[in-house]
Amino acid sequence: MLVLRALGLGDLLAGVPALRGIRRAFPQDHVVLAVPPALAEAASATGAVDGILPAEAPGRGVPSLDHWAGPPPDIAIDLHGNGPESRDALAALRPRRLLAHAAEPGDAPVRPPVWRPDEHERERWCRFLGAYGIAADPDDVRLPPPATPSPAPGAVVVHPGAESAARRWPAERYAAVVRRLRTLGRRVVLTGGPAEDPLVLDVAARAGLPTSGLLRGGLPFGELSALLAHAALVVSGDTGLAHLAVAHGTPSVTLFGPVSPRLWGPPRAECHIALWKPGPPGDPHGDVPDPLLLRIGTDEVVTAALSLLRPVPTTA
């Protein structure tokens, strides 16, 4: 069986409920996930796949699957998108059965489900599978605790980066949050992806955070997963890191804009706060911070963070 979801970390984690539904429905099948090679360890951590087919394309494009070396898949499942491009990439492998939103007549014994643009990502793919008789629970998001030790157990993890500038809250505001939390006795560490060192250093300099509090260069997934699993709190924008905090049940404050948490937010739980200012939808891939995101203030973020943090222990 080949499943296509060659997107980012947040997309992979939002797809975990669907992947686990597939795993339960086909316990004897060898499930291969087409995913970017950088996410191989994360895919394995879901416990829902048996193998990886490295696959990626610029942006959120559809990758070629021409390097598939095995016989035609018995079943191919498109969890990548709703257009014909992802469906055609799988159809080119001549699977016995193809499950896709854009399926053509004759591809499946049931009518393909209708794509709903206003549907939450986790619920979308569970409903999609349900149309094909595969049960999946959109709240089945948790990952097992990693065996790797955390590089900063008990710290507040602040992640100022995001794939696009539209989802990137200003560095000076993240720095203000870091300063306030440190003043209140909290240990704070900053994280960033492989290309985000300048941003991490900028926030640290503005916040007066020593280099010992910086985790730069993009941590390997196992170390990043351990960091979040054993953190006191995660503060970030709408990124893969926010989904990883949810996967470990770690308290989180996530700053949304321009995309609503109704589409990508955490499950309803007291330990997760999604900050969002409703308004006209913007471009999630824009090159400037979205106006809705900029309406979130530092005091609001600090208040949300403190509401989720346990009191700092006092000494006699």
Side-chain angles (χ1 to χ4, degrees), residues 1-309:
M1 176 183 297
L2 178 62
V3 181
L4 173 61
R5 191 164 177 83
L7 298 164
L9 176 61
D11 303 276
L12 171 63
L13 296 174
V16 165
L19 291 172
R20 289 192 173 142
I22 294 168
R23 173 80 286 165
R24 287 190 296 269
F26 302 96
Q28 303 304 319
D29 285 53
H30 186 80
V31 179
V32 177
L33 178 66
V35 70
L39 297 181
E41 190 177 358
S44 178
T46 69
V49 301
D50 302 302
I52 299 298
L53 178 69
E56 59 185 335
R60 298 178 68 82
V62 177
S64 168
L65 303 177
D66 292 346
H67 54 299
W68 172 265
D74 188 52
I75 302 175
I77 303 179
D78 181 6
L79 297 184
H80 192 90
N82 68 326
E85 296 86 357
S86 52
R87 175 207 174 275
D88 290 349
L90 289 168
L93 303 180
R94 303 178 66 84
R96 182 184 63 83
R97 186 183 179 197
L98 174 60
L99 280 57
H101 272 100
E104 295 179 349
D107 283 339
V110 298
R111 185 180 181 87
V114 175
W115 178 277
R116 298 175 183 170
D118 60 346
E119 191 170 27
H120 194 286
E121 186 73 2
R122 291 188 304 274
E123 295 172 357
R124 165 180 293 122
W125 295 110
C126 291
R127 182 180 61 83
F128 163 79
L129 291 176
Y132 290 102
I134 301 171
D137 178 2
D139 290 330
D140 186 9
V141 297
R142 294 294 292 272
L143 294 181
T148 305
S150 169
V156 175
V157 176
V158 176
H159 185 80
E163 183 179 3
S164 67
R167 293 183 283 117
R168 205 176 298 141
W169 206 46
E172 62 270 20
R173 299 195 194 181
Y174 273 114
V177 171
V178 172
R179 286 197 302 270
R180 289 278 299 279
L181 292 176
R182 294 186 71 220
T183 298
L184 295 170
R186 304 291 177 174
R187 181 189 180 189
V188 179
V189 297
L190 287 174
T191 62
E196 293 177 338
D197 280 2
L199 174 60
V200 171
L201 290 169
D202 183 20
V203 174
R206 294 172 185 268
L209 188 67
T211 56
S212 59
L214 310 186
L215 298 172
R216 294 179 285 167
L219 296 177
F221 177 78
E223 194 172 347
L224 180 65
S225 186
L227 173 68
L228 266 62
H230 300 291
L233 176 71
V234 176
V235 179
S236 75
D238 176 19
T239 69
L241 213 76
H243 290 273
L244 190 55
V246 169
H248 287 305
T250 300
S252 65
V253 176
T254 307
L255 287 60
F256 280 86
V259 178
S260 167
R262 185 170 57 85
L263 302 179
W264 282 91
R268 293 184 180 275
E270 292 183 356
C271 66
H272 301 302
I273 295 178
L275 298 179
W276 160 249
K277 304 297 184 182
D283 178 9
H285 308 294
D287 55 8
V288 295
D290 186 81
L292 299 182
L293 180 65
L294 292 179
R295 288 171 58 190
I296 300 173
T298 55
D299 288 344
E300 188 176 359
V301 175
V302 172
T303 299
L306 294 178
S307 73
L308 296 178
L309 286 166

